[in-house]
Amino acid sequence: MLTGSIVALVTPMDQTGEIDFLALKELVEFHIKSNTTAIVAVGTTGESATLSVDDHVKVVERVISYAAGRIPVIAGNGANSTSEAIALSKLFTNSGIAAGLNVTPYYNKPTQEGLYQHYKAIAESCELPQILYNVPGRTAVDMLPETVARLAEIPNIIGIKEATGDLERLKELKALLPEDFLLYSGDDATGCDFMLQGGHGVISVTTNVAPVEMVEMCKFALNGEADKALAIHQQLLPVHTNLFLEANPIPVKWACSELGLIPNSVLRLPLTILSEQHQSTVRNALIEAKLLS
């Protein structure tokens, strides 16, 4: 059972937009040294929507190789096409990853029955453990707790990343799901409260820039030490908030570059680097959170 601070890892690129594998290797080492619980490779923060399938697979394979068994790796394997998600799941089966993170299909707005059939088909196509990912603010579809409960009956669907930021949703999920079904927050701003109210961890954007602090916050929250957890949460709140001034991962890539964790903040089009008007705000958030002097 993976609990605590799981990083939704950025995918570093060179000035031409090609994958910077040396920087990727250094990021993996950085998170191992920081005691991050696990790495999500090529989730949506890793620009899964704009990487080719070939690049997607290469990045996951390299992260597994760089990790060398020292930290669990979860691979983004979602798509708005069920057949594509199945193909990725099959590719990653027996690759050494701990699970696949499977975002709800975006743009085509399936019904709840469509979501159920989508995930059922993926899970039944392979033995890879699957973590559902619900982020209606990005996908225009909300997977309801009743649908999650139906899917939880499928043996290799083991958890959900719930990114609504709605703590009432957590209560609904807990009432419907078995105790061993993993509940991860996908919203840094409410992640601490999510864990204090019974969640198992956070799949985090902020962990890219504050891994040590996020590990500590999650440890305290999972132990029920609310005062200590909330103190760290308050320290990081400016970062939680301002890393979403523009569409993720635009601000977090800029922040990683500002902290010297990656050489630059290049993204693949149609995403562009953080607007100049927001750069000072993100920089000040890093300073306020004591991540940058």
Side-chain angles (χ1 to χ4, degrees), residues 10-27:
V10 299
T11 300
M13 298 173 184
D14 65 23
Q15 292 289 354
T16 69
E18 294 302 309
I19 310 301
D20 186 338
F21 288 108
L22 176 58
L24 182 64
K25 183 177 183 180
E26 291 173 350
L27 284 180

Side-chain angles (χ1 to χ4, degrees), residues 50-85:
T50 50
L51 293 188
S52 67
V53 172
D54 184 53
D55 278 343
H56 188 135
V57 173
K58 282 181 181 177
V59 171
V60 171
E61 289 176 342
R62 290 293 187 96
V63 171
I64 294 167
S65 173
Y66 300 150
R70 294 173 295 164
I71 185 171
V73 177
I74 298 166
N77 66 317
N80 60 348
S81 160
T82 305
S83 60
E84 183 179 337

Side-chain angles (χ1 to χ4, degrees), residues 82-179:
T82 305
S83 60
E84 183 179 337
I86 287 173
L88 285 171
S89 294
K90 287 182 175 179
L91 277 171
F92 295 144
T93 300
N94 300 319
S95 67
I97 66 168
L101 180 64
N102 207 317
V103 70
T104 50
Y106 41 89
Y107 183 78
N108 46 22
K109 299 176 75 172
T111 63
Q112 295 301 305
E113 182 61 24
L115 289 170
Y116 175 77
Q117 294 295 340
H118 171 79
Y119 284 114
K120 180 175 182 287
I122 296 165
E124 291 180 348
S125 73
C126 64
E127 296 180 356
L128 183 69
Q130 302 284 343
I131 300 169
L132 311 173
Y133 178 14
N134 187 43
V135 55
R138 294 293 290 256
T139 63
V141 61
D142 186 6
M143 184 162 50
L144 299 179
E146 294 78 10
T147 304
V148 179
R150 290 179 69 195
L151 289 166
E153 296 175 2
I154 300 171
N156 59 327
I157 295 181
I158 63 169
I160 183 169
K161 176 184 177 183
E162 176 55 59
T164 58
D166 180 1
L167 295 172
E168 289 300 314
R169 177 64 61 90
L170 174 62
K171 294 177 183 177
E172 295 176 54
L173 289 168
K174 284 179 65 64
L176 292 171
L177 294 166
E179 288 187 8

Side-chain angles (χ1 to χ4, degrees), residues 245-259:
L245 277 175
E246 292 182 1
N248 180 51
I250 292 172
V252 71
K253 262 198 154 175
W254 188 88
C256 285
S257 176
E258 187 74 359
L259 291 170

Side-chain angles (χ1 to χ4, degrees), residues 205-225:
V205 175
T206 296
T207 297
N208 280 283
V209 297
V212 173
E213 292 81 359
M214 285 296 293
V215 166
E216 285 295 294
M217 186 201 76
C218 290
K219 180 184 72 174
F220 290 133
L222 292 170
N223 286 339
E225 298 179 73

